[in-house]
Amino acid sequence: MTLLRCGLLFVLLSGAACAGSPAEESIALGAPSDSAGVKRAERMTDGHRALEGAPWNADSAAFFSGPRAFAVYDLGAVTPIEAAYLQGDNNDTFILEVSDDGARYTHLWTAPSVGGNGLRIRASSRLEARGRFIRVRAKGGDRWVSLSELQLFSTMPSVWPPRVPIDFEPTASHWAQLAILGFGLLAILAVAFDRRSSAASRMLWTFCSAAALVAIFTMTRAPWGDPAVINLSRAIAASVACAVVLKLGTQRPHEHTKLLTSLLGAMALLALASFYNFGHPQFYDSAKGARTYVHGWDMRVYFPAAKYFDELGYDGVYLASLKAYSEEELDGQLEPIANVEVRDLRDYQMRTVDDLRDEIQGVDGRFSAKRWAEFKRDMSYFWGSLGRRAYLDSLRDHGGNATPAWLLAAYLIYGSAEAEESTLLVGAILDPLLLLLLFVAIGRTFGLRAALVCMVAYGATTVYQFGSNWGGSTLRNDWMVLIGLGVCALKRQRWTLAGILLGWAAMIRAFPALALLFLAAPIGWQMLSSLRRGEGGAGSVKELKPLLELGAGVLVVALALGAASTAVFGWEESWGAWSEKIAMHANRPNVNHLGIRALVSYDADNLWGALRARGEDPELWGPRTAETMRDRGWLILLGMLFYTSLAIRACRNLRLSDAALIGTMMIPVYLYPSNYYLHVAFLWPLCLAAWPSGARDAEWTWIAAIVLGACAIEWFSWLFPGNYGRFLFLSGVLLVAIATMLVIPILGDRRRFATSGTA
């Protein structure tokens, strides 16, 4: 273990030492021209940063002794300042100010506190300022305040954030990552060379057990909830589980089935624990000055959208949020936030508060006096917990996109509730309870192994992440749980119940409609076979019976939810407005959208850095990318045809449960979904699972291994710069995995045909 850890540390040190050269646009800062209360000030501008997450007192950091500490840098002449980059202690706020004469300073940028632990990067590319003198100050989240690197740029660098050389100092987090990696490698070796009667195998299992204990010990020593440790834990859980699945699918009966299944169960627990941040709160409550489990960013949209839908509809939540904030915090004035950008939910365009002044001032007319006072009280919780800056920044998001059927359920939960931490925590418990119900149902229907693989895939995938996961939100997993329960009902041939469950899922998130659509594929193949055998109409009617019962279930739940939501919200205000909103949202380029459209619309000339380098507005990325998407529509169509032909052929001899899962695989093919909708991939290992007499066990092994392998590969997305590059990589991983999974049953049918002479 010592040799292994030293070797791995050498590799990590070598990678961390790779230095990037300073960007041409970088402004040379040098030593401070004036400072007070700052120790080791030269460390802030030496061109090196600490490894992300390094301790606040790392050797590469400068220390601020109090709120009056500062450092001033003389640029030599009035200089344009377009972007700023710094790395400082996670819970500290850093304030940059600019001056022409060194006497009168104006605000340039406030780098807020962030999540995670230790030294963390912040960056801004929208400064558009000029000045000769730069002053940096800090407000500590505690008494330990440090800043390891500060860089300014006269124009936006082509690579953003810039690549800054790292001064590597091993920390408890690094040792924990090395221990986790060591355990993963030993576990995979123990699984690969598992033999009951082999002394070498017993030795590997012993080393694996010891490595697990070392990993657990080092993880307890690392900062609680450290993102690097959590992300690597996900990848290791998926990798080890993949090895176990492959071994169980090919091993001889006398080998360690129970031991391997136990290891798979341990990886399921590790993956789920990593999804929930090992119990560490992901978010920060600024009002309380403490961590919280409540996903404030998500709930600040969906709580008021559900509770006040009668007044807000789909377009008013940001307008009312600004009006409430101005009345309670700014004496009713909008001028202090006039230049804040907000997304206009009527057309998704970015506009300033000043542009929307009339709409903001008039939005309270939608409320009664009592309801408006209640709304302001609820929203005061969110700007208090998020912090005023984050509260305003959240207005750049896309608002609530859930259907009226989902809003109806949320309305029943929050319609009479007051926004506070305890209320939202109760709502946040619903998702884990629903997932527990689902995994129990999967275990009873498809067996323990399939349930454990789904648990690993749920916790180990990172495709849903965009700064955080949905832990702490309300009813974010409900539609995926309904799909999973519907697939279980299909497996048990309870057709009407399956229709109700899948129809319910489609009514609250729309995407599951593809699962229903593909149910026709295997039935169509069966009807075609009946006609070829000359069975005629009677055989066709028999084949259609499951589909008719499914349709009845879908119809019942669609009418019930449609009528209930219409009765509460009104048709035009709910379903009519939602349809228009989704039509706008469907093909509009977004950084975190996945699928064929995302890959096809990529053009390096449209990236923010390229646009800035040509002197163009970076906001043109959206329209230019949309234009590229339209111009390459024929490629999108070809991709759809390719995947559709594979999917329909794959369904030829499959069950309806398998066809429903294949339908969900088409979400990134036909649509342009946000990344978090692809979390549904954790259900894909149910495809081909638990066939009678183990007829497709070998094929299921490969399906499960592909899903788990994709989860492990997703860890490497950190190699791609920026969120856009990361999500393009994830799109490619998912699409390759889907194509491979669709080929597996096709090849299986061909092998059976070659062996038996029948399809």
Side-chain angles (χ1 to χ4, degrees), residues 418-435:
E418 183 176 337
E420 57 185 13
E421 186 178 38
S422 59
T423 301
L424 299 178
L425 282 175
V426 171
I429 294 173
L430 293 174
D431 280 277
L433 292 177
L434 288 173
L435 286 169

mmCIF file of all heavy atoms in Angstrom, residues 418-435:
data_model
loop_
_atom_site.group_PDB
_atom_site.id
_atom_site.type_symbol
_atom_site.label_atom_id
_atom_site.label_comp_id
_atom_site.label_asym_id
_atom_site.label_seq_id
_atom_site.Cartn_x
_atom_site.Cartn_y
_atom_site.Cartn_z
ATOM 1 N N GLU A 418 -45.827 28.365 4.753
ATOM 2 C CA GLU A 418 -44.977 29.551 4.765
ATOM 3 C C GLU A 418 -43.552 29.140 4.449
ATOM 4 O O GLU A 418 -43.081 28.098 4.921
ATOM 5 C CB GLU A 418 -45.036 30.223 6.132
ATOM 6 C CG GLU A 418 -44.238 31.520 6.209
ATOM 7 C CD GLU A 418 -44.389 32.218 7.546
ATOM 8 O OE1 GLU A 418 -45.404 31.959 8.224
ATOM 9 O OE2 GLU A 418 -43.498 33.013 7.918
ATOM 10 N N ALA A 419 -42.868 29.923 3.632
ATOM 11 C CA ALA A 419 -41.496 29.599 3.250
ATOM 12 C C ALA A 419 -40.577 29.725 4.452
ATOM 13 O O ALA A 419 -40.383 30.816 4.990
ATOM 14 C CB ALA A 419 -41.026 30.515 2.127
ATOM 15 N N GLU A 420 -40.039 28.613 4.887
ATOM 16 C CA GLU A 420 -39.055 28.570 5.952
ATOM 17 C C GLU A 420 -38.315 27.247 5.851
ATOM 18 O O GLU A 420 -38.763 26.321 5.169
ATOM 19 C CB GLU A 420 -39.710 28.736 7.321
ATOM 20 C CG GLU A 420 -40.779 27.714 7.627
ATOM 21 C CD GLU A 420 -41.488 28.007 8.944
ATOM 22 O OE1 GLU A 420 -41.316 29.120 9.462
ATOM 23 O OE2 GLU A 420 -42.193 27.119 9.442
ATOM 24 N N GLU A 421 -37.195 27.159 6.506
ATOM 25 C CA GLU A 421 -36.342 25.985 6.346
ATOM 26 C C GLU A 421 -37.053 24.695 6.733
ATOM 27 O O GLU A 421 -36.967 23.699 6.016
ATOM 28 C CB GLU A 421 -35.068 26.146 7.174
ATOM 29 C CG GLU A 421 -34.059 25.016 6.952
ATOM 30 C CD GLU A 421 -32.777 25.222 7.738
ATOM 31 O OE1 GLU A 421 -32.864 25.701 8.879
ATOM 32 O OE2 GLU A 421 -31.696 24.903 7.224
ATOM 33 N N SER A 422 -37.765 24.684 7.833
ATOM 34 C CA SER A 422 -38.406 23.449 8.291
ATOM 35 C C SER A 422 -39.448 22.967 7.295
ATOM 36 O O SER A 422 -39.556 21.761 7.029
ATOM 37 C CB SER A 422 -39.049 23.666 9.660
ATOM 38 O OG SER A 422 -40.015 24.709 9.619
ATOM 39 N N THR A 423 -40.202 23.879 6.707
ATOM 40 C CA THR A 423 -41.211 23.508 5.715
ATOM 41 C C THR A 423 -40.567 22.878 4.492
ATOM 42 O O THR A 423 -41.013 21.829 3.996
ATOM 43 C CB THR A 423 -42.012 24.750 5.287
ATOM 44 O OG1 THR A 423 -42.643 25.313 6.423
ATOM 45 C CG2 THR A 423 -43.058 24.384 4.248
ATOM 46 N N LEU A 424 -39.527 23.493 3.996
ATOM 47 C CA LEU A 424 -38.875 22.991 2.787
ATOM 48 C C LEU A 424 -38.121 21.699 3.055
ATOM 49 O O LEU A 424 -37.971 20.868 2.151
ATOM 50 C CB LEU A 424 -37.934 24.059 2.232
ATOM 51 C CG LEU A 424 -38.626 25.372 1.826
ATOM 52 C CD1 LEU A 424 -37.611 26.384 1.338
ATOM 53 C CD2 LEU A 424 -39.683 25.128 0.758
ATOM 54 N N LEU A 425 -37.642 21.503 4.263
ATOM 55 C CA LEU A 425 -36.982 20.243 4.603
ATOM 56 C C LEU A 425 -37.972 19.083 4.577
ATOM 57 O O LEU A 425 -37.637 17.980 4.139
ATOM 58 C CB LEU A 425 -36.327 20.343 5.982
ATOM 59 C CG LEU A 425 -34.991 21.090 6.050
ATOM 60 C CD1 LEU A 425 -34.527 21.215 7.494
ATOM 61 C CD2 LEU A 425 -33.932 20.383 5.216
ATOM 62 N N VAL A 426 -39.183 19.315 5.051
ATOM 63 C CA VAL A 426 -40.210 18.270 4.997
ATOM 64 C C VAL A 426 -40.494 17.892 3.546
ATOM 65 O O VAL A 426 -40.589 16.713 3.200
ATOM 66 C CB VAL A 426 -41.495 18.748 5.702
ATOM 67 C CG1 VAL A 426 -42.632 17.752 5.463
ATOM 68 C CG2 VAL A 426 -41.253 18.908 7.194
ATOM 69 N N GLY A 427 -40.607 18.899 2.674
ATOM 70 C CA GLY A 427 -40.814 18.608 1.262
ATOM 71 C C GLY A 427 -39.646 17.871 0.647
ATOM 72 O O GLY A 427 -39.829 17.007 -0.224
ATOM 73 N N ALA A 428 -38.427 18.175 1.110
ATOM 74 C CA ALA A 428 -37.230 17.539 0.546
ATOM 75 C C ALA A 428 -37.147 16.060 0.891
ATOM 76 O O ALA A 428 -36.451 15.294 0.211
ATOM 77 C CB ALA A 428 -35.975 18.257 1.042
ATOM 78 N N ILE A 429 -37.832 15.635 1.949
ATOM 79 C CA ILE A 429 -37.793 14.223 2.353
ATOM 80 C C ILE A 429 -38.587 13.345 1.387
ATOM 81 O O ILE A 429 -38.357 12.135 1.290
ATOM 82 C CB ILE A 429 -38.337 14.084 3.796
ATOM 83 C CG1 ILE A 429 -37.395 14.782 4.775
ATOM 84 C CG2 ILE A 429 -38.512 12.632 4.200
ATOM 85 C CD1 ILE A 429 -37.923 14.849 6.191
ATOM 86 N N LEU A 430 -39.515 13.939 0.641
ATOM 87 C CA LEU A 430 -40.378 13.145 -0.236
ATOM 88 C C LEU A 430 -39.584 12.372 -1.280
ATOM 89 O O LEU A 430 -39.880 11.205 -1.551
ATOM 90 C CB LEU A 430 -41.394 14.059 -0.926
ATOM 91 C CG LEU A 430 -42.443 14.707 -0.025
ATOM 92 C CD1 LEU A 430 -43.287 15.690 -0.814
ATOM 93 C CD2 LEU A 430 -43.315 13.642 0.612
ATOM 94 N N ASP A 431 -38.576 12.984 -1.878
ATOM 95 C CA ASP A 431 -37.815 12.310 -2.931
ATOM 96 C C ASP A 431 -37.072 11.077 -2.426
ATOM 97 O O ASP A 431 -37.152 10.018 -3.051
ATOM 98 C CB ASP A 431 -36.856 13.295 -3.597
ATOM 99 C CG ASP A 431 -37.574 14.170 -4.604
ATOM 100 O OD1 ASP A 431 -37.757 13.731 -5.746
ATOM 101 O OD2 ASP A 431 -37.975 15.282 -4.237
ATOM 102 N N PRO A 432 -36.323 11.150 -1.317
ATOM 103 C CA PRO A 432 -35.692 9.923 -0.820
ATOM 104 C C PRO A 432 -36.694 8.821 -0.500
ATOM 105 O O PRO A 432 -36.417 7.633 -0.745
ATOM 106 C CB PRO A 432 -34.953 10.393 0.443
ATOM 107 C CG PRO A 432 -34.718 11.840 0.232
ATOM 108 C CD PRO A 432 -35.894 12.330 -0.546
ATOM 109 N N LEU A 433 -37.866 9.174 0.018
ATOM 110 C CA LEU A 433 -38.874 8.164 0.316
ATOM 111 C C LEU A 433 -39.400 7.514 -0.962
ATOM 112 O O LEU A 433 -39.597 6.291 -1.017
ATOM 113 C CB LEU A 433 -40.025 8.787 1.108
ATOM 114 C CG LEU A 433 -39.696 9.251 2.533
ATOM 115 C CD1 LEU A 433 -40.904 9.920 3.169
ATOM 116 C CD2 LEU A 433 -39.212 8.080 3.387
ATOM 117 N N LEU A 434 -39.611 8.326 -1.991
ATOM 118 C CA LEU A 434 -40.059 7.773 -3.273
ATOM 119 C C LEU A 434 -39.003 6.850 -3.877
ATOM 120 O O LEU A 434 -39.324 5.795 -4.435
ATOM 121 C CB LEU A 434 -40.390 8.914 -4.241
ATOM 122 C CG LEU A 434 -41.662 9.715 -3.950
ATOM 123 C CD1 LEU A 434 -41.753 10.921 -4.886
ATOM 124 C CD2 LEU A 434 -42.899 8.836 -4.095
ATOM 125 N N LEU A 435 -37.734 7.247 -3.776
ATOM 126 C CA LEU A 435 -36.658 6.404 -4.302
ATOM 127 C C LEU A 435 -36.572 5.086 -3.545
ATOM 128 O O LEU A 435 -36.358 4.027 -4.149
ATOM 129 C CB LEU A 435 -35.324 7.149 -4.208
ATOM 130 C CG LEU A 435 -35.122 8.282 -5.220
ATOM 131 C CD1 LEU A 435 -33.903 9.102 -4.850
ATOM 132 C CD2 LEU A 435 -34.979 7.720 -6.635
#
